[in-house]
Amino acid sequence: MYRYDDFDADFVRARVADFREQVERRIDGSLTEDEFKPLRLMNGLYLQLHAYMLRVAIPYGTLNSRQMRQLAMIAERWDKGYGHFTTRQNIQFNWPKLKDVPDILDALADVEMHAIQTSGNCIRNVTADHFAGAAADEIEDPRPTAELLRQWSTDHPEFQFLPRKFKIAITGSPNDRAVTKAHDIGLRMVRNAAGEPGYEVIVGGGLGRTPMIGKTVRDFVPKADLLPYLEAILRVYNLAGRRDNKYKARIKILVHETGTEEIKALIEAAFAEQKALFQAPPQALVDRIEAAFAPPDFDNTQSLVFDRAQVDDPVFRSFVETNVSEHRNPAYGIVSVSLKPVGGTPGDASAEQMRVLADIAERYGHDELRVSHEQNIILPHVRKADIPAVHAELNKAGLATANIGLLSDIIACPGMDYCALATARSIPVAQEIATHFDALKLERDIGPLKIKISGCINACGHHHVGHIGILGLDKAGVENYQITLGGDGTETATIGERTGPGFAAEDLIPAIEAIIETYLDLRHTGEETFLAAYRRLGAQPFKDAIYDNRRDSARAA
């Protein structure tokens, strides 16, 4: 992973010192809340429903054991003993006191972390495929490019006051695990006819109140041209993006209102100008970044321990089936650690669990961890012979839930339990759904299923791209939940279709159960996934099931 040089360290420390002075002025009344707000947001500090919330950047989701232990320390010393991992591969602390935030930022700087550009109308944390550098299907590790983008975008003077926040995601694999088509800019690594790696550039994706799938504006941009090409996109957006209405200020609206072909022409014209003027980063910097992401020194010793453990232990075998993915090195596996225990809060990890993860990464995982956009933790490089021992350690810490990609692996935003913008609860809904279906023992039979829940129209829970999406809204002072079906966040990205009128909280689980039962009844075979069945059958059978079920319940009442 990338390590700070002297410039990086001095830059972050200077930002902390500036913010410490600003916090002192806010506390003594020299700054009003209105004056303080833009300053705190520049440092990742939000004022939520009950307290401040600090959002800490984890660039492209990569961190080491020392950093994870520091996050655990911060959680215990200045928060309530836990952290919340988010869909942007960040971590949020929900209960810091304002006076302590500068000390937290100093503690983060001690381990080369910060909260810069985790808020505001700027380029946010660049996210990446959480299997980057390990996946068997990968063309190339995209994280050196992501790090270059991080350095280019941090404190970029032209892009600090964009029309709205701006999000970039990148993947090095043809199988999209980074939801690139739902970002302002999505980058998918491809090869040209000569076999050279470059990027397909997708622009104008996004969720929220106007969900859209991004449009490809270039099938191939050479890696050497990527920065000036992205700068051209940002310049077009910065000049032409709507500033009169924050709900129409994202680049997706500009692409939609202008048209894809005209946007392409504007970008190409800006790129021609920019490429002629652009000063490429020094080769020494590029070489240093790429060297920082060199693969670990893998131990290729073969062992039968992994195979024998699966035969001898059905619990371990179930864990492997869902939580272990193919590594590019046959002697290794990628271990996904679920932060979704049945009945738990999706994405939360206690300080003690963070320390366990740090210890496992240091001992068994080449000192590397990842945060996934699905709010789980990844150990990207674990020798297969060590996976049984890793599973045992995870089990002791309550981290061995074998549900990755299954029904209870639910993405959920904080909702009305924490967020000042939320109009409904998300966390209790996720907990109730997971608990209900766990009791039915159906999860394995159902197979791959992505449920995503948002507590308001801003869609922080990515409900639009859930196979089953749930949006909580306020309806005359009562929580009401809309259901969407058929969403997909992969390379075949699709916005889910709304089924119809929403459901009261007490009617939501019966509706989800009706959807699941319809799928189980109508699927071709046990191999046909929910998404495949939905695409074959269309929405109508599922709509009929949930609304007939509601009418039957009303008649019975």
Side-chain angles (χ1 to χ4, degrees):
M1 60 187 296
Y2 178 77
R3 301 303 304 267
Y4 282 11
D5 61 14
D6 290 342
F7 173 85
D8 298 317
D10 292 345
F11 175 85
V12 172
R13 292 290 185 187
R15 284 289 294 262
V16 175
D18 286 346
F19 190 55
R20 184 179 295 279
E21 181 182 350
Q22 291 159 2
V23 168
E24 290 170 355
R25 293 172 64 202
R26 175 68 189 111
I27 291 172
D28 70 20
S30 301
L31 288 174
T32 66
E33 174 54 32
D34 286 344
E35 292 168 330
F36 182 58
K37 181 177 178 179
L39 303 175
R40 63 172 168 78
L41 290 177
M42 290 175 67
N43 291 278
L45 188 64
Y46 288 74
L47 186 56
Q48 294 285 73
L49 193 60
H50 306 294
Y52 284 101
M53 178 272 282
L54 181 66
R55 180 181 293 149
V56 176
I58 303 177
Y60 34 88
T62 295
L63 69 166
N64 59 29
S65 60
R66 180 168 173 251
Q67 292 170 327
M68 184 67 95
R69 290 191 185 100
Q70 192 78 334
L71 295 176
M73 184 278 290
I74 289 169
E76 282 186 334
R77 182 172 178 182
W78 290 298
D79 206 275
K80 292 191 175 183
Y82 71 95
H84 177 73
F85 291 95
T86 78
T87 55
R88 286 216 66 71
Q89 300 179 310
N90 296 319
I91 186 172
Q92 294 180 179
F93 294 107
N94 289 312
W95 301 98
K97 294 180 173 61
L98 178 59
K99 67 181 180 63
D100 294 329
V101 173
D103 290 337
I104 296 173
L105 295 177
D106 259 332
L108 290 169
D110 288 343
V111 293
E112 302 181 6
M113 298 183 77
H114 60 74
I116 298 167
Q117 290 184 201
T118 58
S119 181
N121 293 339
C122 57
I123 299 172
R124 299 287 186 89
N125 187 39
V126 176
T127 58
D129 179 356
H130 43 271
F131 291 173
D137 60 1
E138 190 173 71
I139 295 170
E140 188 177 290
D141 187 344
R143 291 176 305 151
T145 300
E147 172 59 28
L148 195 62
L149 296 183
R150 185 193 70 81
Q151 295 195 30
W152 161 76
S153 63
T154 300
D155 227 25
H156 193 302
E158 192 172 346
F159 304 141
Q160 290 301 298
F161 299 97
L162 296 167
R164 275 293 268 134
K165 58 188 175 181
F166 203 91
K167 299 177 180 179
I168 300 174
I170 184 169
T171 180
S173 167
N175 298 304
D176 188 359
R177 289 176 289 265
V179 203
T180 58
K181 292 187 177 183
H183 281 73
D184 298 289
I185 292 177
L187 301 173
R188 297 182 65 219
M189 185 167 280
V190 293
R191 293 188 185 275
N192 64 9
E196 300 163 328
Y199 286 100
E200 175 192 1
V201 181
I202 302 157
V203 173
L207 304 179
R209 67 181 58 236
T210 312
M212 293 184 180
I213 298 300
K215 307 293 191 298
T216 297
V217 293
R218 262 285 192 107
D219 292 322
F220 184 85
V221 174
K223 290 169 68 176
D225 287 343
L226 186 62
L227 283 184
Y229 193 81
L230 297 190
E231 191 139 326
I233 295 171
L234 266 295
R235 286 191 167 185
V236 169
Y237 171 55
N238 207 13
L239 290 170
R242 297 276 297 268
R243 295 178 188 268
D244 60 321
N245 183 336
K246 72 175 184 178
Y247 301 120
K248 296 184 178 182
R250 299 292 291 269
I251 195 172
K252 62 187 178 183
I253 302 298
L254 177 64
V255 173
H256 177 71
E257 292 183 343
T258 305
T260 306
E261 293 308 312
E262 187 173 346
I263 280 291
K264 285 182 183 179
L266 291 170
I267 292 170
E268 291 298 331
F271 174 57
E273 294 179 3
Q274 188 60 20
K275 186 176 180 181
L277 300 171
F278 192 79
Q279 292 186 348
Q283 189 59 44
L285 172 63
V286 174
D287 292 344
R288 178 172 178 260
I289 290 173
E290 290 184 349
F293 294 94
D297 185 12
F298 291 124
D299 178 356
N300 296 317
T301 305
Q302 297 299 311
S303 170
L304 297 177
V305 171
F306 179 71
D307 295 327
R308 286 173 179 164
Q310 292 183 75
V311 172
D312 296 340
D313 184 354
V315 174
F316 178 67
R317 183 167 63 249
S318 293
F319 179 82
V320 171
E321 287 172 357
T322 53
N323 293 44
V324 178
S325 302
E326 187 180 3
H327 195 283
R328 62 173 53 194
N329 185 318
Y332 279 70
I334 303 170
V335 177
S336 294
V337 181
S338 173
L339 297 184
K340 321 282 181 58
V342 173
T345 300
D348 277 10
S350 70
E352 184 55 36
Q353 287 176 325
M354 290 186 221
R355 290 194 184 95
V356 168
L357 289 166
D359 291 346
I360 291 172
E362 192 169 52
R363 182 174 181 183
Y364 299 110
H366 295 277
D367 199 24
E368 191 170 337
L369 304 110
R370 307 283 175 77
V371 182
S372 77
H373 81 270
E374 294 174 324
Q375 299 176 288
N376 294 315
I377 301 296
I378 313 300
L379 297 161
H381 310 295
V382 182
R383 199 166 66 100
K384 284 182 177 176
D386 292 328
I387 294 179
V390 168
H391 176 255
E393 294 298 317
L394 293 172
N395 196 41
K396 291 177 192 174
L399 290 168
T401 306
N403 67 344
I404 296 296
L406 301 181
L407 181 148
S408 62
D409 184 16
I410 298 170
I411 289 179
C413 73
M416 211 159 58
D417 288 299
Y418 295 98
C419 181
L421 300 176
T423 50
R425 296 167 299 159
S426 297
I427 293 170
V429 172
Q431 293 168 329
E432 289 166 13
I433 291 172
T435 301
H436 177 80
F437 283 95
D438 181 65
L440 297 177
K441 305 301 179 187
L442 282 174
E443 191 168 53
R444 294 264 163 181
D445 188 29
I446 293 167
L449 180 66
K450 295 186 180 295
I451 297 179
K452 304 177 191 286
I453 307 171
S454 299
C456 80
I457 204 164
N458 290 310
C460 294
H462 294 186
H463 68 276
H464 294 295
V465 291
H467 300 163
I468 299 176
I470 300 170
L471 168 62
L473 297 170
D474 176 89
K475 188 175 181 180
V478 178
E479 289 169 299
N480 185 267
Y481 293 89
Q482 292 180 356
I483 296 175
T484 55
L485 296 175
D488 176 18
T490 70
E491 62 279 1
T492 55
T494 311
I495 299 298
E497 179 182 347
R498 182 180 163 188
T499 58
F503 294 83
E506 62 270 20
D507 296 327
L508 184 59
I509 286 181
I512 301 298
E513 191 164 0
I515 291 167
I516 299 298
E517 288 174 351
T518 302
Y519 158 63
L520 293 176
D521 288 344
L522 298 180
R523 65 182 176 182
H524 267 328
T525 67
E527 299 300 315
E528 186 178 38
T529 65
F530 177 87
L531 185 59
Y534 177 84
R535 287 174 169 171
R536 175 176 60 85
L537 295 164
Q540 199 59 50
F542 300 95
K543 290 182 180 181
D544 291 344
I546 59 178
Y547 292 109
D548 285 348
N549 182 68
R550 182 155 75 172
R551 283 190 288 270
D552 291 343
S553 298
R555 282 195 293 268

